[in-house]
């Protein structure tokens, strides 16, 4: 992994000096619980070894400059400009290049935490190992890395949940992507030995050991390399359908419904809205069941829950694509215990839970199916639960 090195190199090119430090935060995979976060429901993600690095240093003026190996040009504004740039008007694009609204949005959100706003300027250079737009939350990783850097440089003394909330504000209000809090919480609360069970209404969390290693299992990520963007179309529509469904049921959010409410929901709404609602209600139950099975009997028992989650996203929520379905079907046919698409959908990655001895066979089978279908070759790798934001240098 060379992203730490790349962030330092970019910082040197940008400033001709050494950074005060380098901070990083991880991407995440979601084991189960998709599109439940903004419905105030349950999710079970874990942070992955892939990280985004932010090399940063204080400036002696009030300007903030951000650069990324992902972008052609650095972007520089004064700190005071942040309050005129953000929040971005609903439905329009940010007035700065979109990628820069993630780090600048974090600076804006963190600035609001201190009433006197006596922060100084900073230079930040960013590089990442997290594949962008693959459903592994490169967005939470960049937000977390920048938040960790600024929190320390500005001596804000804030906890991981507040860091996560600053990232979410950046994504929702600066970038304009209507995403939930799961990704930021998964990244900032990452632990080397466990997944994070998160109640997205109360923000209560519980660490749930996955037990993969002891059970001789590996979690494979199959990045289809079909890119998605959450600031556009389908994601927003799904979110609106969920709000409409909750309204018709007369509840604050779909979190307040259970599978017992499904017959009533079917009678109250059109078929498409009903299927969106059914996905969320059944997915919340699957997250609770997955936690219960992991705690009672370990990871071998969760395969069918992963498979059912995928079917629900494919058929009811309609956010899968041909590459994701092919990856899941091929992995299961080659012996995976369970498999599902992960992340917001419309592209990105699938996960497969596989016996350690079967990893190569499953990866080969998926690659073969992709060749035969004429799809771009996928990136396939294993991930283990990993730690949250940290200072690296
Ligand atoms: P995901 O989080 O699944 O990777 P998103 O669409 O939520 O996908 O976020 C991807 C966007 O986040 C990119 O298009 C870019 O704007 C921004 N981003 C992520 N990582 C970086 C990075 N290292 N440098 C600059 N921008 C980044
Ligand atoms: Mg994202």
């Amino acid at each position: 992994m060379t992203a730490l090195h790349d962030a330092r190199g970019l910082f040197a090119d940008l400033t001709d000096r050494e950074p005060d430090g380098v901070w990083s935060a991880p991407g995440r995979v979601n084991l189960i619980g998709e599109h439940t976060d903004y419905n105030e429901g349950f999710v079970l993600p874990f942070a992955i070894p892939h990280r985004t690095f932010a090399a940063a240093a204080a400036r002696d003026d009030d300007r903030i400059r951000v650069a990324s190996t992902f972008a052609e040009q650095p972007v520089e504004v004064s700190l005071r400009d942040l309050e005129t740039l953000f929040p971005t008007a609903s439905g329009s694009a940010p007035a700065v290049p979109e990628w820069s609204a993630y780090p600048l949005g974090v600076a804006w959100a963190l600035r609001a935490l201190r009433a006197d706003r006596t922060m100084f300027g900073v230079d930040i250079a960013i590089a990442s190992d997290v594949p962008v737009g693959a459903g592994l939350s490169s967005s939470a990783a960049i937000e977390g890395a920048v938040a960790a850097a600024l929190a320390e440089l500005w001596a804000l003394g804030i906890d991981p949940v507040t860091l996560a909330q600053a990232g979410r504000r950046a994504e929702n209000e600066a970038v304009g992507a209507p995403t939930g809090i799961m990704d930021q919480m998964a990244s900032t609360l990452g632990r080397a030995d466990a997944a994070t069970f998160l109640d997205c209404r109360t923000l209560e969390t519980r660490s749930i050991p996955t037990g993969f290693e002891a059970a001789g299992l590996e979690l494979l990520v199959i990045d289809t390399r079909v890119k998605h963007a959450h600031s556009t179309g389908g994601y927003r529509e799904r979110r609106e359908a969920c709000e409409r469904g909750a309204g018709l049921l007369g509840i604050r959010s779909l979190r307040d419904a259970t599978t017992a409410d499904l017959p009533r929901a079917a009678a109250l709404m059109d078929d498409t809205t009903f299927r969106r609602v059914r996905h969320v209600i059944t997915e919340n139950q699957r997250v609770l069941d997955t936690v219960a099975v992991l705690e009672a009997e370990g990871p071998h028992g969760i395969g069918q829950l992963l498979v059912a989650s995928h079917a629900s996203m494919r058929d009811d929520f309609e956010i899968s694509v041909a590459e994701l379905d092919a990856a899941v079907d091929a992995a299961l046919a080659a012996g995976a215990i369970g498999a599902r698409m992960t992340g917001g959908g419309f592209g990105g990655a699938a996960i497969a839970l596989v016996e350690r001895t079967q990893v190569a066979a499953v990866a080969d089978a998926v690659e073969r199916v992709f060749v035969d279908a004429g799809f771009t070759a996928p990136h396939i790798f294993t991930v283990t639960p990993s730690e949250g934001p940290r200072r690296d240098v």
Side-chain angles (χ1 to χ4, degrees):
M1 296 200 182
T2 58
L4 169 60
H5 178 81
D6 292 348
R8 298 188 78 162
L10 183 64
F11 191 89
D13 294 346
L14 190 71
T15 65
D16 274 331
R17 61 190 179 117
E18 286 292 309
D20 294 342
V22 183
W23 291 262
S24 65
R28 64 100 189 91
V29 287
N30 191 17
L31 202 48
I32 195 160
E34 224 65 77
H35 288 261
T36 46
D37 60 349
Y38 55 77
N39 290 297
E40 301 189 311
F42 308 113
V43 294
L44 187 62
F46 65 79
I48 58 175
H50 303 66
R51 304 179 75 85
T52 296
F53 295 82
R59 294 169 57 122
D60 52 17
D61 60 14
D62 86 325
R63 301 188 70 73
I64 179 163
R65 181 165 50 158
V66 292
S68 168
T69 54
F70 173 90
E72 299 266 310
Q73 294 287 334
V75 175
E76 184 177 330
V77 298
S78 83
L79 288 175
R80 263 170 298 114
D81 287 342
L82 293 172
E83 277 92 58
T84 50
L85 284 168
F86 308 131
T88 299
S90 152
S92 44
V96 287
E98 184 176 80
W99 74 269
S100 72
Y102 291 84
L104 293 177
V106 167
W108 165 71
L110 289 178
R111 237 166 92 76
L113 294 178
R114 207 151 82 190
D116 58 12
R117 299 207 170 146
T118 51
M119 281 91 165
F120 42 78
V122 272
D123 284 320
I124 306 176
I126 295 156
S128 184
D129 303 315
V130 187
V132 169
L136 300 174
S137 207
S138 67
S139 57
I142 186 175
E143 290 153 10
V146 169
L150 290 176
E152 186 169 337
L153 288 172
W154 287 345
L156 297 176
I158 53 179
D159 58 285
V161 174
T162 310
L163 279 189
Q165 284 167 326
R168 185 197 185 178
R169 255 198 107 189
E171 191 149 336
N172 290 172
E173 297 178 44
V175 179
T179 50
I181 189 79
M182 164 173 68
D183 295 355
Q184 294 82 5
M185 291 286 282
S187 179
T188 65
L189 290 165
R191 285 176 48 150
D193 56 356
T196 300
F197 171 65
L198 167 65
D199 179 332
C200 297
R201 169 170 282 168
T202 63
L203 296 191
E204 278 170 297
T205 59
R206 195 147 58 92
S207 283
I208 310 291
T210 59
F212 294 158
E213 197 184 343
L217 298 178
E218 296 275 0
L219 195 78
L220 268 187
V221 173
I222 303 156
D223 174 8
T224 64
R225 300 169 71 195
V226 178
K227 300 289 175 216
H228 69 84
H230 293 329
S231 45
T232 51
Y235 194 100
R236 187 177 296 275
E237 270 172 37
R238 296 305 182 283
R239 196 173 168 143
E240 285 163 2
C242 293
E243 283 163 12
R244 192 163 60 243
L248 289 167
L249 282 164
I251 52 181
R252 171 171 142 185
S253 72
L254 293 179
R255 152 67 176 277
D256 296 310
T258 68
T259 49
D261 294 302
L262 287 172
R264 190 163 71 89
L268 278 170
M269 51 196 83
D270 65 89
D271 178 61
T272 302
T273 307
F274 171 65
R275 287 184 295 111
R276 306 299 187 246
V277 164
R278 181 165 62 185
H279 165 71
V280 174
I281 292 175
T282 58
E283 185 80 351
N284 273 327
Q285 188 58 49
R286 282 186 289 270
V287 176
L288 297 174
D289 292 347
T290 301
V291 170
V293 170
L294 282 174
E295 290 186 322
E297 56 185 273
H300 273 99
I302 70 171
Q304 282 316 306
L305 291 162
L306 302 183
V307 172
S309 172
H310 186 76
S312 180
M313 288 187 283
R314 181 190 60 211
D315 303 334
D316 275 356
F317 222 58
E318 297 181 279
I319 54 173
S320 191
V321 295
E323 288 84 346
L324 289 167
D325 292 340
V328 166
D329 292 346
L332 291 172
I337 293 174
R340 59 183 285 274
M341 52 158 286
T342 186
F346 307 105
I351 54 173
L353 188 59
V354 179
E355 302 281 356
R356 193 173 298 136
T357 52
Q358 300 271 81
V359 165
V362 169
D364 287 350
V366 171
E367 275 164 3
R368 254 196 325 274
V369 164
F370 272 55
V371 170
D372 292 347
F375 297 151
T376 303
H379 284 153
I380 304 180
F381 48 91
T382 59
V383 290
T384 50
S386 300
E387 69 180 297
R390 63 173 186 231
R391 183 170 180 165
D392 295 276
V393 176

